[in-house]
Amino acid sequence: MAKRSYDFYFTRLMYDSGDWDVDIRMPSNVLNSLVEYTTLKVDPAERVVALSDPKMLEAPFCYLAGHKLVQFTPAERKNFERYVRGGGFVFVDDCNHDIDGLFAKSFEAELARMFGPKALHKIPNNHPVYSSFFQFDGPPNTGNELNGWGDDLVHDYLKAIEFDGRVRVLYSNKDYGCEWDYDFRNKRWLVIDNTRFAVNIIQYALGA
């Protein structure tokens, strides 16, 4: 790992297939929350790095999302697997919030190809990711689920791939990216800040 002047920087993974450039206001909103709630030294700028670029292997945290087909190139697949097996952390968000959607089916097929068909599994709602900073009793619901978009289900779980007892890929069909995609100055209108769970995810990732 290269020496970093920040405790945390947000890395979005760009991949050749699909639509990786979604929820463009979300990273700045999440970064603002880290500054607000934690003592981390945070780079305020989102970094976009190609999954095929070895630079992504240095990131403390990576985000990958989309709506469409995910079909990794050999270089992308190699880096993803190397990063995860080497102790990296990827938060993957299905923007369709649909377990039968194109993103879900194609991305899960990629995971099965790299890590085996049984590697991805549901995590319990008392998993440490739900208590790494704020306390949750499971994955917070999103407005898109409650409004009946996608598969018209409220997903009461997240999935993960784990190595050595730690989550290395955290996978959501809940579309958190869209839920957190607003100007951070609008958070003052929320009764409860819905980006608090993003803080949990990142604090867990940094503790890996």
Side-chain angles (χ1 to χ4, degrees):
M1 291 287 188
K3 185 177 180 180
R4 300 189 297 265
S5 58
Y6 297 101
D7 299 320
F8 178 80
Y9 57 92
F10 189 106
T11 299
R12 183 192 294 268
L13 294 177
M14 175 173 56
Y15 53 99
D16 284 353
S17 60
D19 58 339
W20 57 269
D21 192 13
V22 293
D23 306 323
I24 59 175
R25 295 171 297 181
M26 181 272 286
S28 61
N29 197 14
V30 169
L31 291 168
N32 173 262
S33 295
L34 291 174
V35 171
E36 181 178 358
Y37 296 121
T38 77
T39 59
L40 293 172
K41 187 177 180 182
V42 177
D43 184 348
E46 175 192 16
R47 304 186 187 188
V48 178
V49 180
L51 178 54
S52 59
D53 188 337
K55 289 182 180 178
M56 64 82 56
L57 300 170
E58 302 176 1
F61 167 97
C62 290
Y63 175 70
L64 187 149
H67 301 83
K68 300 179 181 179
L69 177 73
V70 179
Q71 193 169 45
F72 290 152
T73 66
E76 290 173 340
R77 195 173 294 117
K78 179 181 178 180
N79 273 356
F80 191 102
E81 182 173 359
R82 181 181 175 190
Y83 180 74
V84 169
R85 292 188 184 276
F89 185 97
V90 188
F91 175 46
V92 180
D93 195 37
D94 172 13
C95 296
N96 292 321
H97 39 90
D98 185 349
I99 57 175
D100 291 320
L102 184 57
F103 180 93
K105 287 185 174 181
S106 59
F107 178 73
E108 290 176 29
E110 286 287 349
L111 289 182
R113 179 173 179 175
M114 289 182 281
F115 305 107
K118 296 182 179 180
L120 184 66
H121 61 275
K122 294 181 182 180
I123 58 173
N125 287 349
N126 62 354
H127 189 278
V129 74
Y130 299 119
S131 57
S132 59
F133 196 85
F134 296 104
Q135 188 69 42
F136 296 91
D137 58 5
N141 294 332
T142 63
N144 290 327
E145 292 179 298
L146 298 175
N147 289 332
W149 290 15
D151 54 18
D152 200 22
L153 296 174
V154 175
H155 304 108
D156 59 357
Y157 59 85
L158 295 180
K159 291 183 178 182
I161 289 179
E162 298 178 276
F163 288 102
D164 299 323
R166 296 288 299 185
V167 170
R168 301 302 179 189
V169 179
L170 184 65
Y171 177 57
S172 159
N173 295 112
K174 297 178 75 69
D175 193 9
Y176 283 120
C178 187
E179 188 80 353
W180 302 333
D181 183 33
Y182 55 86
D183 191 294
F184 71 89
R185 290 168 293 189
N186 290 335
K187 283 200 292 184
R188 66 187 183 274
W189 305 114
L190 298 176
V191 175
I192 299 176
D193 181 359
N194 62 7
T195 64
R196 294 184 309 154
F197 186 51
V199 175
N200 273 48
I201 294 171
I202 290 165
Q203 288 283 43
Y204 178 89
L206 295 181

